[in-house]
Amino acid sequence: MKKLKFTLLSLLVVLISCERDDICAETTPTTPRLIVEFYDVNEPDDISPVTRLTVYGEGLADNPTNDNIEGTLVYNTNSTSIELPLIIGNEGEITTSRFILEKDTDHRLDDDVDTESNIDIIEISYETEFVYVSRACGYKSIFKNIQVSYEISDDGAWISGIEVVDTVEIVENENTVHVRILH
């Protein structure tokens, strides 16, 4: 009985001695992902889903299939937006992240040799800056001077244009769209 009382008393002391700053709340904003939305090239104000989209970081997956989607961010899904995790580089240096965006993934997966998916690669260059959040959460990274370009596959581009949203000078949260892709 004395051991139980001692254990409960010890646990109570530990819980009381923890300060609020010792725990990083789940709601605390941390390093943001880059938010990308897809728009109709003919009606640039209208959001337009990409059919059967698969997205993964360059070198993290290779022709994902239903049996192996490891490394993919989005797999064979109609999507109007995606969230891209950027590589955290050295502060003040330019870092580049590359992502493969495959449209009509189901065409690559089917048995019809006359249909193919269409792959474009986007390249995002930026500078990383570290910002102190709190003692419990430590630092988060934000991204400045965002530049986005794309490479066209041999089958032709499905991406018609990319715009970094004018109001986005720094990617510091996930509350707004950072990049618009026209297709």
Side-chain angles (χ1 to χ4, degrees), residues 22-58:
D22 290 341
I23 300 171
C24 187
E26 274 188 42
T27 57
T28 302
T30 57
T31 299
R33 292 167 291 193
L34 187 76
I35 307 299
V36 177
E37 271 188 342
F38 300 103
Y39 289 84
D40 186 329
V41 69
N42 298 317
E43 297 290 335
D45 292 331
D46 294 345
I47 291 176
S48 176
V50 178
T51 55
R52 300 301 197 170
L53 180 67
T54 296
V55 179
Y56 50 94
E58 186 175 60

Side-chain angles (χ1 to χ4, degrees), residues 53-56 64 71-79 81-83:
L53 180 67
T54 296
V55 179
Y56 50 94
T72 62
L73 300 169
V74 174
Y75 177 72
N76 200 18
T77 305
N78 296 340
S79 299
S81 68
I82 54 176
E83 300 173 347

Side-chain angles (χ1 to χ4, degrees), residues 168-179:
V168 177
E169 293 178 15
I170 298 175
V171 175
E172 56 188 341
N173 62 52
E174 296 177 353
N175 299 336
T176 186
V177 174
H178 306 117
V179 174

Side-chain angles (χ1 to χ4, degrees), residues 108-136:
R108 176 176 52 83
L109 299 172
D110 67 20
D111 293 331
D112 186 351
V113 294
D114 294 328
T115 61
E116 271 303 312
S117 63
N118 193 325
I119 295 175
D120 288 348
I121 299 172
I122 62 170
E123 184 172 279
I124 306 155
S125 299
Y126 49 91
E127 290 178 39
T128 303
E129 182 180 316
F130 302 118
V131 176
Y132 182 74
V133 177
S134 69
R135 185 172 71 181

